[in-house]
Amino acid sequence: MPRTAKAVLCREHNKPVVVESIAVDPPQRGEATVKLAACGVCHSDLSAINGTIALPLPLVLGHEGAGVVEEVGAGVTDLAPGDHVVFSFIYMCGKCRFCVAGRPVLCLEQGKALTTPREGTPRARDAAGAPLGIFSGCGAMAQYATVSAENLVKIDPKIPFDCAALVGCGVTTGVGAVFNTAKVQPGSSVAVFGCGGVGLSVIQGAVIAGAERIIAIDTLEPKLAMAKQFGATEALLPTPELDAVKFLKKVTSGGPDYAFECVGSGELAGTAYRAIRRGGLAVVVGVAKPGDSTAVRTMTLPFEEKTLTGSYFGSCVPRVDFPRMLGLYLAGRLKLAELITRRYSIAEAPQAFADLAAGKNARGVIVF
Ligand SMILES: NC(=O)c1ccc[n+]([C@@H]2O[C@H](COP(=O)([O-])OP(=O)(O)OC[C@H]3O[C@@H](n4cnc5c(N)ncnc54)[C@H](O)[C@@H]3O)[C@@H](O)[C@H]2O)c1
Ligand SMILES: [Zn+2]
Ligand SMILES: [Zn+2]
């Protein structure tokens, strides 16, 4: 029997999200149905609404989710009803050369089933019976979601769901970019452009990695105050008169060792690249519009040995990195509860997105 669930849907680009009653089918082979407890509101959900991330509509939003397994389909042996899980939003075929080499974020099949479980057909329908897509194989902004078992990671049940949910995207993306992608070294200097849920997680990761200087850059003053709470040593509010590259080069005597772009802008990616020192590393984490591009002075590549790279989902392996993040949380070294500025009911989802767009929250979380 399908389960009835309240869900947050995007039906039309650039329109407020709608909360509707949907039907969620039981799991098929290799799938599980999860009863959601919490789902973070990530900028990537907003990007699906404004078309930056172009997925077909209508779409059940949400990918930063945590909840309890309600039912498992045939062949699912590593999950059972009652297990606490966090959603992972990447498709991992498990067989391609990237998956077997431990780099599932580069899975060659990742374009498959972007809005369904792996099998490729929808498990969610609206009240009229029309099929609904699920964001990145998750659709976690709903009371129930049926997804592939590969998109779920079992967690320690003593971790509160709202904290655990954040590990499903923002925290693993930010901390993973520091640990896995950049491999930030102790004593180094780090610049972070954009201090939302992702950028603040980069800052926390940089603290844990032993960075000596962490310079936060954001266009909103309150975000800079948050950045300092999470460990930024300096903060910069960009103004038209102030050249961020010159500022960073001056205060770090030649440029930071690392710069992380956590906004989603080609222009800022270029700024991050220009700012880093000789031999430095700039990492693009933000997701820019499809037509956006970045230019670098080609000569600086050989003469200054600078690197411009990207990081998808913190270059993580979900089953390795989620427990690692939650272990740091349990050890008191990674702040998760402090990232949650506001909790919303599902009916308040339109407000949650308006607050995200206005930059009000470190992270907003919908609790079910
Ligand atoms: N690479 C990945 O796997 C991955 C995963 C999750 C999110 N993302 C992307 O990361 C980006 C950040 O996500 P988020 O959830 O933290 O978003 P957010 O909206 O919470 O935060 C973005 C921050 O950037 C700031 N900002 C905007 N313009 C700026 C500018 N010109 N200079 C400096 N700061 C500026 C905003 O004030 C805000 O604080 C988004 O593009 C999102 O899609 C990428
Ligand atoms: Zn693969
Ligand atoms: Zn996300």
Side-chain angles (χ1 to χ4, degrees), residues 13-14 43-44 46-55 263-264 287-291:
H13 286 133
N14 299 309
H43 202 105
S44 298
L46 189 60
S47 294
I49 297 169
N50 66 30
T52 296
I53 296 178
L55 292 172
V263 177
V287 177
K289 290 192 168 63

Side-chain angles (χ1 to χ4, degrees), residues 115-149:
T115 60
T116 63
R118 288 159 62 100
E119 187 270 334
T121 56
R123 300 284 171 274
R125 282 167 288 108
D126 67 11
L132 296 168
I134 49 173
F135 184 100
S136 230
C138 293
M141 242 173 237
Q143 288 168 317
Y144 290 101
T146 295
V147 301
S148 300

Side-chain angles (χ1 to χ4, degrees), residues 278-364:
R278 296 174 157 257
L281 176 69
V283 183
V284 178
V285 183
V287 177
K289 290 192 168 63
D292 200 15
S293 61
T294 305
V296 300
R297 269 181 70 215
T298 316
M299 190 194 255
T300 61
L301 290 160
F303 287 163
E304 298 181 12
E305 290 199 356
K306 300 218 266 188
T307 305
L308 179 64
T309 189
S311 179
Y312 185 39
F313 204 2
S315 309
C316 82
V317 177
R319 282 187 172 74
V320 174
D321 288 284
F322 287 12
R324 192 174 171 208
M325 300 299 150
L326 292 170
L328 286 166
Y329 162 76
L330 289 173
R333 298 182 64 198
L334 186 63
K335 298 185 181 102
L336 296 180
E338 294 84 344
L339 272 174
I340 305 172
T341 311
R342 185 169 163 191
R343 292 169 179 78
Y344 301 85
S345 69
I346 193 158
E348 292 172 321
Q351 187 62 46
F353 277 99
D355 289 349
L356 171 66
K360 286 195 179 157
N361 298 335
R363 230 0 166 219

